[in-house]
Amino acid sequence: MTSTARRWVGRAAALAVLGVAAAAPTAAGAPAPVAAWAPLARAATVVDVAGPRSDGTFVVATAGRLAVLTPDGTVSPFARGAGGYATRLGTEAYLALTPDQPVDGADCAFHQDDVYALEPAGRPGVVVVDPQGRARRAVNLPRGDVPNGIVYDAVGAFGHRLLVTARAKRGTAVFAINCDGQVHAITTTGPRVEGGLAVAPATFGPYAGDLIAPDELSGRIIAFDAHGGSRTVAVSGLPTGGDVGVESAGFVPPGFGPAWIALLADRRTPGNPHPGSDQVLRLAGGALLAGGARPGDLVVATEGGAQTVAVSCAATCTVQHVADGPTATHAEGHVVFAATP
């Protein structure tokens, strides 16, 4: 064993003690640490995590219903019973959370801690659930479209609207939805995308304010602007294919530090090469920072194995492998972040 190899093995052992997996050495011979996703809480057929809410908790889409998750891993039922929320088991009812925010050019506002959930079953649309757990259908979407992504535009480039992607007849449709239920199609012919969506902050180079979405088949990360144009931000460099490629996304927030965490849904999918665990996975902030992610970076994880990259954009964009999940992981929905108590 060479001296370089001995240093590599020693580094790997030290990182294992810290809960960080070690990446292969770089061309210069210096290995970069890769963070490791690990189970936080069990949630049946979990497909997404949204938040944090104003009280620091998260909302989880689990087994066709909703639950509240605390950062320490406690799961409690939410929006159950008469007037509550339910969708068909097996749907990918991804979630978005809204703040108190007026919509540009509309005589209405979104409300703090309302949860918006895709409704892919039956008539496609979006359901809203208020903080008291009362659910109602917010909007209907065109028949035949299959909604497959949702996010709230907290940046404002889309007028502080709710954004939804859907598989449409001629490509991907992107809808901007007002607080009063009005729906505007930004495009109906966009490139293929699916999964966790995010809106880029002002620090994300030429894609600031754009809607960012992954494509598992090509490994591309796509940006949509408010006029319906689209560009490739980067290619992930990770494995591609259905139920394999990039699926989940989220921007590392300002102030992110070692005491923070990232969360990701890992849905059990029997018979799949990545069968999942029905867990919400947790990634320690210190480990993610050690892997090279920084505030303002886009974090994107694959559906198969939660292989995770951080994308940093200034004049140009760079991609760095920062984390991996257990090989069996079947990741869904968004990557979300919060400071721990």
Side-chain angles (χ1 to χ4, degrees), residues 29-136:
V34 175
W37 293 96
L40 170 67
R42 183 162 295 281
T45 322
V46 59
V47 295
D48 204 4
V49 184
R53 302 194 298 181
S54 54
D55 64 359
T57 63
F58 298 86
V59 178
V60 178
T62 170
R65 296 184 178 272
L66 299 178
V68 171
L69 171 69
T70 62
D72 66 1
T74 301
V75 179
S76 305
F78 173 60
R80 307 295 171 92
Y85 169 84
T87 188
R88 190 176 69 197
L89 188 64
T91 61
E92 294 180 345
Y94 299 142
L95 308 176
L97 201 68
T98 59
D100 280 323
Q101 175 66 58
V103 169
D104 296 357
D107 189 22
C108 63
F110 285 105
H111 301 296
Q112 186 72 45
D113 294 339
D114 277 357
V115 179
Y116 286 80
L118 293 182
E119 182 51 87
R123 177 67 190 269
V126 179
V127 174
V128 58
V129 184
D130 69 21
Q132 289 72 46
R134 298 183 294 255
R136 63 176 176 83

Side-chain angles (χ1 to χ4, degrees), residues 54 56 60 71 81 84 112 135 147 152 160 178 221 246 260 330 332:
S54 54
V60 178
Q112 186 72 45
Y152 171 73
H160 297 103
N178 279 6
I221 299 163
V246 285
W260 287 58
H330 194 102
E332 296 281 1

Side-chain angles (χ1 to χ4, degrees), residues 8 66 92 113 118 126 142 159 165 191 209 238 248 266 298:
W8 162 241
L66 299 178
E92 294 180 345
D113 294 339
L118 293 182
V126 179
T165 57
L238 299 173
S248 303
D266 177 17
L298 174 69

Side-chain angles (χ1 to χ4, degrees), residues 7 16 115 155-156 159 167 286 304 311 324:
R7 288 195 300 271
V115 179
V155 176
R167 188 169 68 247
V311 182
D324 285 325

Side-chain angles (χ1 to χ4, degrees), residues 156-224:
F158 294 83
H160 297 103
R161 290 171 169 83
L162 196 69
L163 303 175
V164 170
T165 57
R167 188 169 68 247
K169 292 180 180 178
R170 295 187 295 160
T172 291
V174 179
F175 299 104
I177 300 172
N178 279 6
C179 39
D180 58 7
Q182 294 187 44
V183 180
H184 170 65
I186 295 172
T187 181
T188 58
T189 59
R192 188 193 186 282
V193 296
E194 176 188 357
L197 308 180
V199 177
T203 55
F204 203 60
Y207 308 101
D210 286 356
L211 172 65
I212 309 298
D215 172 28
E216 64 183 357
L217 297 186
S218 68
R220 294 192 304 158
I221 299 163
I222 306 296
F224 294 90

